[in-house]
Amino acid sequence: MILKKILRGKAEPVGEPKKVQSEMPEEKPKDTKLSDPNYSRNKLYKKGVSLMADEKMEEAVRSFEDALRIDPGHVDSLLKLGYTRFHMTDLAGAMDAYNKVHEIDVTNADAWNLKGLIYYRQKNYEKALECVEKAIESNPTDGMSWYNKGCYHSLLNHIPEAIEGLKRSIEIDVKNAKKAVRDKDFENIRADNGYRRIVEVVVLESIRQGYHKVGQIVWT
């Protein structure tokens, strides 16, 4: 007969070691339907992005719309849906997608910048400028927003403001200088000394030296 000791009202065998269950390392859940509640949405979103890259825009739209049926508030799908519609010249559909983004987050800089492109396509440069300024207010380090701001000011013949916008965009990303050289939207400022100085002196020298990060260009 095995002797037992009483411990807090419970009988426990004496002399028999307790069995200790070995702890197995926990496996991280894999990205599957069972472990990820957003699996189907993400799969459709990634499919849409891939179709965009292959320039299969109509199929991409269907994938993003299917993703949004699962999760109507998925901002990335809304942004990509709007961008795809924009490239299909469905400007109203693109604006609708961006408006839905701003219903979720009115400060979303990407949606403001992309709205600006819609107004740009419609040659409404004042409205485009309003949108890109809101984009910069939300994300002041986005070089493309500053670049677009420079473009819109140039198209409105606001020379000093166009130079400043372009200059700021290049400070953030020197590759914007190469775009500006061939961009017809800067036609109005090409005769300006500030533009020539940016393109011919500071920027080209910076590219030659391999500068590509914020703060490496020094304006004197």
Side-chain angles (χ1 to χ4, degrees):
M1 184 175 70
I2 299 174
L3 295 176
K4 296 182 179 181
K5 67 178 180 179
I6 306 300
L7 181 62
R8 294 183 182 177
K10 290 186 179 180
E12 184 173 296
V14 176
E16 286 190 0
K18 285 187 177 180
K19 292 182 180 178
V20 179
Q21 188 174 3
S22 60
E23 294 185 2
M24 298 295 292
E26 292 184 7
E27 291 187 9
K28 293 183 179 179
K30 295 179 181 178
D31 187 18
T32 65
K33 292 180 182 179
L34 295 177
S35 63
D36 184 0
N38 297 319
Y39 175 85
S40 297
R41 181 203 71 187
N42 292 342
K43 185 176 180 181
L44 287 164
Y45 170 76
K46 291 174 184 177
K47 180 182 177 182
V49 171
S50 178
L51 289 166
M52 279 181 68
D54 292 337
E55 298 185 356
K56 297 177 180 178
M57 297 302 182
E58 291 184 4
E59 294 177 53
V61 164
R62 286 195 290 271
S63 286
F64 295 132
E65 287 175 340
D66 288 343
L68 289 164
R69 287 189 187 95
I70 297 170
D71 182 2
H74 189 227
V75 169
D76 287 342
S77 289
L78 285 168
L79 288 170
K80 287 292 192 296
L81 175 62
Y83 195 65
T84 307
R85 286 174 172 171
F86 175 82
H87 281 281
M88 294 172 66
T89 67
D90 178 8
L91 302 186
M95 184 65 80
D96 180 64
Y98 301 145
N99 283 337
K100 287 177 180 176
V101 172
H102 282 146
E103 288 173 8
I104 298 166
D105 176 12
V106 73
T107 66
N108 188 287
D110 290 331
W112 281 119
N113 192 26
L114 293 166
K115 277 185 177 182
L117 290 177
I118 293 174
Y119 288 118
Y120 164 81
R121 180 73 65 86
Q122 296 170 334
K123 300 187 185 302
N124 188 343
Y125 304 129
E126 292 282 2
K127 289 290 290 183
L129 186 58
E130 288 177 16
C131 289
V132 82
E133 284 176 342
K134 289 180 180 178
I136 291 169
E137 184 179 335
S138 294
N139 183 9
T141 61
D142 179 35
M144 188 48 62
S145 291
W146 281 101
Y147 183 92
N148 289 342
K149 182 176 181 177
C151 286
Y152 304 150
H153 274 302
S154 175
L155 291 164
L156 291 165
N157 210 29
H158 302 161
I159 306 303
E161 294 88 349
I163 293 291
E164 181 60 29
L166 177 57
K167 172 180 165 180
R168 184 72 185 101
S169 79
I170 295 167
E171 288 175 342
I172 294 170
D173 185 352
V174 74
K175 291 190 294 294
N176 287 330
K178 186 176 181 181
K179 296 176 187 175
V181 172
R182 298 180 180 179
D183 195 332
K184 293 181 180 179
D185 290 341
F186 288 113
E187 196 70 39
N188 288 338
I189 67 171
R190 285 191 176 148
D192 186 87
N193 287 334
Y195 178 83
R196 290 203 299 268
R197 173 174 171 267
I198 288 171
V199 175
E200 296 174 6
V201 182
V202 182
V203 175
L204 295 181
E205 179 63 16
S206 297
I207 293 172
R208 186 185 70 79
Q209 295 181 26
Y211 292 165
H212 61 280
K213 294 181 181 177
V214 176
Q216 287 186 313
I217 298 176
V218 179
W219 303 91
T220 58

